[in-house]
Amino acid sequence: MPKLQRSQEEIIQAKTDILEKAAQLIVDIGYNDFTMRKLAEKLKITATTIYNYFKNKDDLFISLLIMGFSDLYADLVEAGKKGSSPAERLRAMIAAYTDFGLNNANFYNLMYAWHVPKYNTYAGTDLEPVARRQLEIAMKIPDIFLETIKAYARDFGQTMSDENAVFLLIHYWSQIHGFIAGCNNTNLSYIHRDPLSLKERHLTGIADKFRNDVIQTGNQGE
């Protein structure tokens, strides 16, 4: 009998399952030791089956990053709908970003914590087009935050320069990322018995300090 053709939904689900297992395996053994054969063994399928969905290890890895950044961006967009003001939207987006990092540690580590191949690695190769797509999706994350930061400043009658908006994004992202990374790698557990219990206090502290920085920074650099 001829093999039944899989539906689009089944193909998407199969690719998703492969990518999720790949993220876990890369975290477990490292990117350099990761191979399609080892992934096939973990999935209990043949490597040939994986090649039906991905050209090679790099194609799979870029697809993995695209999946992670796409999911995070969707979470941020949804969170941004919850607030009636830029301040509320920003607070909701920061919370959504934090929750994504804590609840999807494997993906988050590959996206933001680990030194792994990104767009520049594939520039000039046959994978540059798909790598460029990954970069474009990844850059939507800072862009949506920058838009919200500037809207926040306008609520206070401030006109914030691009340079100051980028500074605030980097300054506060470093704090948010530090908390996520410290929880994920358990380093914060040596300082506090339950660092996750500090999440809401941490986010509130960031929101309060951010308000003051926006007021002070808004008209600088004009």
Side-chain angles (χ1 to χ4, degrees):
M1 290 181 63
K3 189 175 181 180
L4 293 176
Q5 195 167 22
R6 308 188 81 177
S7 68
Q8 188 63 28
E9 290 77 13
E10 289 175 324
I11 292 173
I12 291 173
Q13 185 58 56
K15 292 181 74 172
T16 299
D17 292 342
I18 291 171
L19 291 174
E20 288 177 348
K21 287 293 185 182
Q24 180 183 340
L25 184 59
I26 291 172
V27 169
D28 289 343
I29 67 176
Y31 177 81
N32 290 332
D33 290 331
F34 172 86
T35 65
M36 301 292 247
R37 180 182 58 77
K38 291 178 181 178
L39 176 59
E41 290 173 356
K42 190 172 186 67
L43 288 163
K44 295 180 171 55
I45 59 177
T46 65
T48 302
T49 300
I50 301 176
Y51 286 115
N52 288 333
Y53 299 100
F54 304 99
K55 295 178 182 178
N56 50 37
K57 170 182 172 178
D58 288 307
D59 183 38
L60 183 148
F61 182 67
I62 295 171
S63 299
L64 185 64
L65 293 177
I66 288 174
M67 180 179 178
F69 284 117
S70 296
D71 288 349
L72 174 55
Y73 180 69
D75 286 354
L76 295 177
V77 170
E78 190 61 31
K81 298 176 182 178
K82 297 177 181 177
S84 58
S85 69
E88 292 176 356
R89 289 197 294 273
L90 185 62
R91 174 66 167 76
M93 287 164 57
I94 292 172
Y97 182 98
T98 301
D99 286 341
F100 179 91
L102 295 172
N103 297 330
N104 303 276
N106 289 344
F107 277 97
Y108 186 84
N109 286 339
L110 294 174
M111 292 158 62
Y112 289 111
W114 284 32
H115 181 64
V116 292
K118 297 289 176 65
Y119 171 75
N120 287 341
T121 305
Y122 302 107
T125 73
D126 59 350
L127 286 172
E128 182 175 357
V130 67
R132 185 182 297 110
R133 180 172 170 240
Q134 177 267 306
L135 177 63
E136 290 170 353
I137 294 172
M139 292 308 296
K140 287 184 176 182
I141 310 301
D143 285 348
I144 193 173
F145 273 111
L146 288 171
E147 290 171 8
T148 309
I149 289 171
K150 288 187 175 183
Y152 192 127
R154 287 194 296 270
D155 256 16
F156 287 93
Q158 306 278 14
T159 301
M160 183 171 290
S161 68
D162 290 342
E163 182 178 353
N164 284 331
V166 169
F167 167 76
L168 288 179
L169 174 62
I170 292 174
H171 180 64
Y172 282 95
W173 176 81
S174 299
Q175 297 177 50
I176 298 163
H177 171 71
F179 179 78
I180 295 170
C183 289
N184 287 346
N185 62 27
T186 73
N187 282 342
L188 291 181
S189 298
Y190 290 94
I191 303 172
H192 190 277
R193 66 184 181 282
D194 183 15
L196 285 174
S197 68
L198 303 176
K199 184 182 76 170
E200 290 304 318
R201 185 176 175 184
H202 172 67
L203 295 177
T204 298
I206 286 177
D208 290 345
K209 288 187 293 182
F210 188 86
R211 179 181 182 276
N212 294 331
D213 275 349
V214 165
I215 294 173
Q216 293 174 11
T217 306
N219 286 323
Q220 295 178 15
E222 293 186 54

